[in-house]
Amino acid sequence: MPSMNTLPDAAGLPTATVLLKPKRARPFFGRHPWVLDSAVLRVEGSPADGDVVDLATHDGTFVARGLWNAASRLRVRLYAFDPAVKLDDALWRTRLEAAVALRRTLGLDDRAGAARLVNSEGDDLSGLIVDRYGDYLAVQVTALAMALRLETLADQLMDLVGPRGILLRGAERGLSKLEGLQLPDRVIRGAAPSGPIFVTEHGLKFGVDLTAGQKTGYYLDQRDNRHAAARFARGRRVLDMFCYSGGFAVAAAVAGGARGVLAVDSSAKAAALAKANADLNGAANVTVETADAFEKLDALREAGERFGMVVLDPPKFARSRAALDDALRAYHRINRVAIDMLEPGGILVTCSCSGSVSREDFLQMLGGVAQRARRSLQILECRGAAPDHPVSASCLEGEYLKCVIARVG
Ligand code: SAH
């Protein structure tokens, strides 16, 4: 692995050309940013990992410009499709500016709130994720090329956003390995907050532990889904399964006016966060339990419990296409139990964050559950991640979150 002090070519011009196999250029003319090793015919030149390279057809026609990583199956990540564009510091700055401006347009620049400022491919910055929590930024790097440019990016973020601190959070372990990347969590600018940060989301307050939480500390992608689900909670008894820090539970109880909420997570730490967030918002009717969802769902059903609304927001069940069938079975199982416990006219809020489970797969799974349970299921809303998680139309792999709100007859 190259030293983290290696300064990439400041000129941003290619040091090598990567030629594609015949008939393999179409996705990249279509602006897809990932060039897999299997598409590469040969390399002219000897780029170091992180260097700028040009991508060309087998007979040398320019296709795109990107950054090289011999250690990754994702051999080149593309950042420009015009030979006049240099991959230099000015380009990163322009991209960061555009990303920050978009969040302003979305009304997500309130310093009391939290927002994803940079969403990797969705902001033409493959391999970089930046979340803002109040006055702090949490950065995740999933590409070696971005890791090598971290100092520049951190300076630019300080300049553009002016946070009190920037924290580097480890990417998902599997991902880091694929890139030949090992970045320990650390403070890269300013200071870390001394305790949890409190952020506002649709008028509610949530504590976020930036140094030890899951993801970059909080599930920002579900912000608007928590709000949307709460609209259906009035007067109902709600089950929030896989509650993490209690976002759906607190929204249902406080904003939604639920009669009572049971929130469950297998992590004791998460359950404690959920309890603290319920208290913070004065939600006295939220009960939090630490339990395994599969066991707890079965136990609740066996005990004859009934709910007016069930939220299912499990972790990623399918890590790959190969795991798809197992994942669909697991989704089927939890959704079946949820439906069995829903009173007639009850609301199911069911989510999947597995990218390899398509929206269609997920809806079909729900159809199967309705059939088995002999209940009608009306889909009211088919939602995705909040708009500060934009998806590039050229890289639909960025679309992972499904959140279906349905009425169960
Ligand atoms: N709904 C949450 C995010 C949920 S993330 C929000 O809006 O913030 C998924 C959660 O599922 C994690 O907190 C994880 O601890 C929990 N989890 C994972 N496996 C579990 C299991 N078998 N039973 C219960 N919870 C589980």
Side-chain angles (χ1 to χ4, degrees):
M1 193 167 106
S3 133
M4 286 299 155
N5 297 323
T6 313
L7 267 182
D9 186 0
L13 289 167
T15 58
T17 300
V18 177
L19 299 176
L20 289 162
K21 290 178 183 165
K23 300 204 175 101
R24 298 298 287 272
R26 184 190 270 251
F28 313 113
F29 281 126
R31 306 176 77 92
H32 198 285
W34 301 341
V35 184
L36 298 184
D37 55 351
S38 56
V40 173
L41 177 67
R42 64 168 195 281
V43 181
E44 287 178 353
S46 38
D49 289 344
D51 274 2
V52 178
V53 294
D54 272 356
L55 185 72
T57 58
H58 69 284
D59 52 6
T61 306
F62 174 89
V63 180
R65 186 159 288 160
L67 301 174
W68 172 258
N69 183 3
S72 173
R73 248 191 82 219
L74 218 163
R75 208 43 64 87
V76 186
R77 288 178 190 259
L78 302 174
Y79 296 90
F81 298 86
D82 175 346
V85 175
K86 296 184 214 158
L87 306 193
D88 58 5
D89 293 355
L91 180 73
W92 312 127
R93 168 138 194 142
T94 308
R95 297 270 162 96
L96 290 177
E97 275 170 359
V100 170
L102 170 61
R103 278 61 184 183
R104 215 174 293 129
T105 307
L106 296 171
L108 291 171
D109 52 343
D110 177 1
R111 293 305 276 224
R116 174 151 296 186
L117 295 186
V118 178
N119 193 40
S120 201
E121 287 79 14
D123 286 295
D124 292 331
L125 283 166
S126 181
L128 181 69
I129 288 172
V130 182
D131 291 334
R132 182 180 60 74
Y133 293 100
D135 284 325
Y136 293 88
L137 299 185
V139 172
Q140 271 182 297
V141 169
T142 56
L144 179 75
M146 288 291 117
L148 293 171
R149 288 158 177 80
L150 195 55
E151 293 300 322
T152 302
L153 294 166
D155 286 341
Q156 294 177 339
L157 285 167
M158 285 304 289
D159 202 35
L160 276 171
V161 187
R164 291 169 69 176
I166 305 183
L167 281 70
L168 183 65
R169 292 296 315 270
E172 275 183 65
R173 221 166 293 138
L175 266 181
S176 321
K177 238 191 229 150
L178 290 177
E179 281 283 317
L181 245 184
Q182 259 177 343
L183 296 175
D185 288 8
R186 66 187 171 93
V187 178
I188 46 180
R189 290 292 181 277
S194 48
I197 309 229
F198 295 94
V199 296
T200 305
E201 173 182 297
H202 292 298
L204 300 169
K205 268 203 158 42
F206 290 97
V208 178
D209 186 347
L210 273 188
T211 50
Q214 298 180 14
K215 269 208 172 176
T216 60
Y218 188 68
Y219 290 85
L220 287 170
D221 50 357
Q222 292 278 31
R223 178 196 309 111
D224 294 348
N225 298 335
R226 291 187 276 259
H227 189 59
R231 286 152 45 231
F232 296 94
R234 187 150 305 278
R236 295 180 192 267
R237 182 178 184 220
V238 176
L239 175 63
D240 177 9
M241 199 46 96
F242 308 95
C243 67
Y244 185 52
S245 51
F248 280 98
V250 172
V254 181
R259 179 152 52 88
V261 183
L262 173 60
V264 179
D265 200 286
S266 59
S267 146
K269 257 192 179 165
L273 280 175
K275 184 76 186 95
N277 282 329
D279 293 347
L280 189 63
N281 290 280
N285 61 352
V286 175
T287 306
V288 185
E289 271 185 43
T290 306
D292 173 73
F294 291 87
E295 288 171 15
K296 185 73 192 173
L297 280 168
D298 286 348
L300 286 168
R301 179 171 61 179
E302 232 161 82
E305 301 276 354
R306 286 287 170 270
F307 294 91
M309 177 167 172
V310 176
V311 180
L312 299 173
D313 185 17
K316 225 191 248 181
F317 281 162
R319 301 242 154 231
S320 65
R321 284 301 297 177
L324 186 59
D325 286 347
D326 285 349
L328 286 171
R329 264 192 292 278
Y331 285 121
H332 186 108
R333 182 168 160 205
I334 58 172
N335 280 279
R336 173 64 200 267
V337 185
I339 283 184
D340 286 349
M341 290 193 293
L342 273 169
E343 55 204 27
I347 297 291
L348 176 67
V349 179
T350 182
C351 311
S352 160
C353 60
S354 307
S356 39
V357 173
S358 71
R359 209 160 265 275
E360 200 184 332
D361 289 338
F362 192 64
L363 290 172
Q364 255 162 16
M365 176 277 300
L366 284 177
V369 173
Q371 182 190 353
R372 291 289 186 90
R374 297 170 175 274
R375 303 279 293 272
S376 70
L377 212 145
Q378 293 168 289
I379 293 163
L380 309 180
E381 294 186 33
C382 219
R383 309 176 56 94
D388 52 335
H389 297 62
V391 176
S392 163
S394 313
C395 184
L396 294 178
E397 289 87 340
E399 219 231 347
Y400 62 96
L401 186 65
K402 282 81 58 192
C403 171
V404 175
I405 304 181
R407 180 174 175 278
V408 180

